[in-house]
């Protein structure tokens, strides 16, 4: 009797370690589906789902379909940690695409690192993300590479700009990282940083900061925050009389800010790591499929989430060629998948993408867009030359 019980127990222990890879192949997606951060996350969910549909319509992983397992990571650290834990231990995913914010990545990515589960960050742009661990890569180019392009464009539009007011959300890791880049880039362009103002991503009243901006005599305002706070800040800057150009960072990079700043969104300049005009076949297919469903061009966050899922699927396909996925045990596959992700080259909507040995994305083309509002509701991102 005792021996039977022991054998059963040992068997259970062994099976936990020799877990097979499920079919369809589960890929975790931990994005902001609720909270204010969903203004950014919604577009990512759309991109990830389009990738799943496209991949499975084209034979999946050499005939085996993938299945995205969504866990809402909302906008805070604990929700992201819970989402990661569920995906890793309950859903037995082979990899995770997420979370939405760098602030969340610094909290949740170490969980995946310890469990040896590869993470592909779809929108984490703060400095230091790939360095969280060996299993952490990102398809979202860092602020240092993307953000300075917006300042160059602002100077092209108005070469007389001299004084800059910089504002940032001090409770958000991405915003503090991006403002550092913006301030360095402004100085490198010979601009005078007249004032630096802080706020919280939860703030709704920016009277103090806007007053300081107006008093500084700045002729360029640069904002690093998220969508709701950033949108409100743009609106209040205009309502209180600021007339100069505004550069918004990546946290404002969504048409979901239109209902927040309405007609006052007009003219905001935002650097882009994606363009619908990127000429690769992979992108033109993505644009076609996105337009068919949403009747407009895909935004950056959708393209990056699509690329994140695609990277995982392409890497799985390469491994499946070596040994059918159903023959792997899960732990071994996760480790091999991480290596393969870093080794591969991917034709994505972002263009050709590779990774350096730390998991930093290597991507060629960057862009700048400017918001054009037709009225208080309808607008678009117009790409600048
Ligand atoms: C980050 C970001 C966000 C603004 C993306 C949604 O770039 O947190 O790193």
């Amino acid at each position: 009797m005792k021996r039977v019980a022991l054998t059963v127990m040992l068997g259970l222990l062994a099976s936990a370690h020799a877990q097979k890879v499920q079919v369809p192949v589960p890929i975790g997606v931990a994005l902001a589906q609720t909270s204010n951060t969903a203004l950014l996350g919604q577009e990512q969910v759309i991109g990830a789902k389009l990738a799943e549909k496209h991949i499975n319509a084209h034979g999946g992983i050499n005939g085996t379909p993938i299945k995205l397992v969504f866990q809402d990571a909302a906008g805070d650290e604990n929700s992201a940690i819970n989402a990661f834990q569920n995906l890793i231990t309950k859903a037995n995913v082979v990899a995770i695409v997420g979370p939405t914010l760098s602030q969340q990545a610094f909290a949740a990515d170490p969980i995946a690192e310890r469990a040896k589960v590869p993470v592909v960050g779809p929108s984490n742009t703060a400095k230091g993300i790939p360095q969280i661990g060996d299993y952490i890569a990102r398809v979202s180019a860092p602020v240092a590479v993307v953000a300075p392009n917006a300042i160059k464009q602002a100077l092209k539009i108005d070469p007389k700009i001299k004084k800059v007011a910089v504002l940032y959300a001090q409770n958000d890791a991405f915003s503090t990282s991006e403002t550092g880049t913006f301030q360095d880039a402004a100085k490198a362009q010979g601009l005078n940083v007249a004032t630096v103002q802080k706020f919280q991503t939860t703030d709704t009243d920016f009277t103090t900061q806007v007053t300081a901006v107006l008093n500084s005599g700045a002729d360029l305002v640069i904002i690093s925050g998220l969508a709701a706070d950033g949108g409100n800040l743009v609106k209040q800057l205009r309502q209180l009389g600021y007339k100069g150009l505004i550069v918004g960072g990546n946290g404002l990079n969504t048409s979901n800010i239109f209902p927040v700043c309405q007609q006052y969104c007009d003219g905001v300049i935002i650097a882009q790591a994606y363009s619908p005009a990127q000429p690769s076949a992979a992108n033109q297919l993505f644009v076609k499929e996105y337009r068919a469903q949403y009747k407009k061009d895909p935004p950056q966050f959708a393209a990056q989430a699509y690329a994140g899922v695609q990277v995982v699927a392409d890497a799985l396909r390469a491994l499946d060629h070596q040994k059918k996925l159903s023959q792997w045990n899960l732990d071994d596959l996760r480790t091999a998948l991480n290596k393969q992700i870093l080794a591969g080259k991917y034709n994505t909507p972002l263009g050709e993408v590779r990774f350096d040995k730390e998991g930093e994305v290597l991507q060629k083309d960057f862009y700048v867009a400017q918001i054009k509002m037709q009225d208080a509701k309808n607008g678009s991102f117009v790409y600048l030359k």
Side-chain angles (χ1 to χ4, degrees):
M1 220 33 209
K2 262 190 197 153
R3 191 173 304 166
V4 173
L6 189 68
T7 316
V8 169
M9 244 174 66
L10 286 175
L12 282 174
L13 277 176
S15 74
H17 284 280
Q19 183 82 246
K20 284 287 175 210
V21 175
Q22 291 168 24
V23 171
V25 184
I27 299 172
V29 181
L31 297 170
Q33 296 180 266
T34 58
S35 83
N36 270 349
T37 306
L39 295 175
L40 305 157
Q42 268 169 8
E43 295 183 340
Q44 303 184 285
V45 170
I46 288 171
K49 284 186 176 160
L50 274 179
E52 179 188 41
K53 194 170 153 198
H54 178 90
I55 289 160
N56 284 338
H58 292 78
I61 312 300
N62 308 323
T64 305
I66 60 163
K67 180 182 181 345
L68 297 187
V69 183
F70 283 86
Q71 279 282 323
D72 181 13
D76 62 310
E77 293 91 322
N78 278 339
S79 302
I81 288 171
N82 286 336
F84 270 50
Q85 272 165 344
N86 279 327
L87 291 171
I88 293 167
T89 61
K90 297 213 177 85
N92 293 315
V93 300
V94 297
I96 296 174
V97 176
T100 297
L101 301 178
S102 291
Q103 177 73 23
Q104 298 175 294
F106 286 119
D109 286 0
I111 308 271
E113 176 69 20
R114 276 197 292 281
K116 299 192 161 65
V117 175
V119 172
V120 180
S123 55
N124 316 129
T125 63
K127 183 178 173 174
I129 293 287
Q131 290 74 29
I132 292 171
D134 294 343
Y135 282 77
I136 315 302
R138 64 173 159 195
V139 289
S140 43
V143 288
V145 174
V146 184
N149 298 310
I151 299 185
K152 285 192 198 123
Q153 268 296 342
L155 284 169
K156 211 163 143 188
I157 294 170
D158 182 1
K160 292 199 291 293
I161 291 171
K162 295 247 148 40
K163 273 194 200 172
V164 193
V166 177
L167 303 98
Y168 73 97
Q170 60 176 332
N171 63 332
D172 177 66
F174 145 75
S175 299
T176 53
S177 180
E178 193 192 52
T179 196
T181 292
F182 272 139
Q183 290 177 45
D184 290 347
K187 286 172 200 155
Q189 295 284 321
L191 301 174
N192 166 18
V193 178
T195 183
V196 177
Q197 294 291 315
K198 300 172 190 171
F199 58 92
Q200 306 279 330
T201 51
T202 46
D203 285 350
T204 51
D205 180 353
F206 299 94
T207 314
T208 311
Q209 290 87 349
V210 172
T211 304
V213 169
L214 296 173
N215 288 339
S216 76
D219 40 19
L220 174 65
V221 165
I222 305 178
I223 301 171
S224 294
L226 301 180
D229 46 324
N232 274 313
L233 183 44
V234 167
K235 180 175 160 193
Q236 290 170 37
L237 275 162
R238 293 306 186 204
Q239 283 176 329
L240 292 171
Y242 174 71
K243 298 250 170 349
L245 280 173
I246 299 176
V247 164
N250 201 38
L252 286 75
N253 197 1
T254 169
S255 56
N256 289 328
I257 68 166
F258 296 171
V260 184
C261 42
Q262 302 170 323
Q263 69 269 29
Y264 304 111
C265 305
D266 193 65
V268 173
I269 297 166
I270 306 179
Q272 305 289 329
Y274 169 74
S275 166
Q278 206 286 336
S280 70
N283 185 47
Q284 288 317 307
L285 213 53
F286 167 64
V287 170
K288 201 172 139 207
E289 289 171 2
Y290 186 97
R291 276 190 189 145
Q293 209 165 331
Y294 299 98
K295 316 289 173 222
K296 59 178 184 182
D297 280 342
Q300 174 202 274
F301 289 126
Q304 288 177 321
Y306 184 106
V309 173
Q310 192 199 327
V311 162
V312 174
D314 285 359
L316 284 170
R317 215 170 281 123
L319 292 178
D320 182 81
H321 279 306
Q322 294 165 24
K323 182 169 103 181
K324 286 311 275 176
L325 289 188
S326 55
Q327 306 295 308
W328 289 82
N329 92 42
L330 180 57
D331 288 344
D332 293 345
L333 180 69
R334 283 167 165 174
T335 297
L337 179 57
N338 189 56
K339 281 211 188 84
Q340 185 59 45
I341 286 171
L342 297 181
K345 199 162 84 180
Y346 308 89
N347 293 316
T348 76
L350 311 174
E352 188 189 288
V353 156
R354 290 181 297 117
F355 299 96
D356 76 8
K357 62 181 191 311
E358 290 191 307
E360 182 64 279
V361 67
L362 301 172
Q363 173 190 342
K364 292 194 191 87
D365 300 321
F366 298 95
Y367 316 84
V368 179
Q370 188 169 30
I371 296 174
K372 183 85 206 121
M373 298 302 291
Q374 271 91 55
D375 50 50
K377 278 211 185 93
N378 303 294
S380 57
F381 283 78
V382 178
Y383 282 72
L384 301 172
K385 295 226 167 58

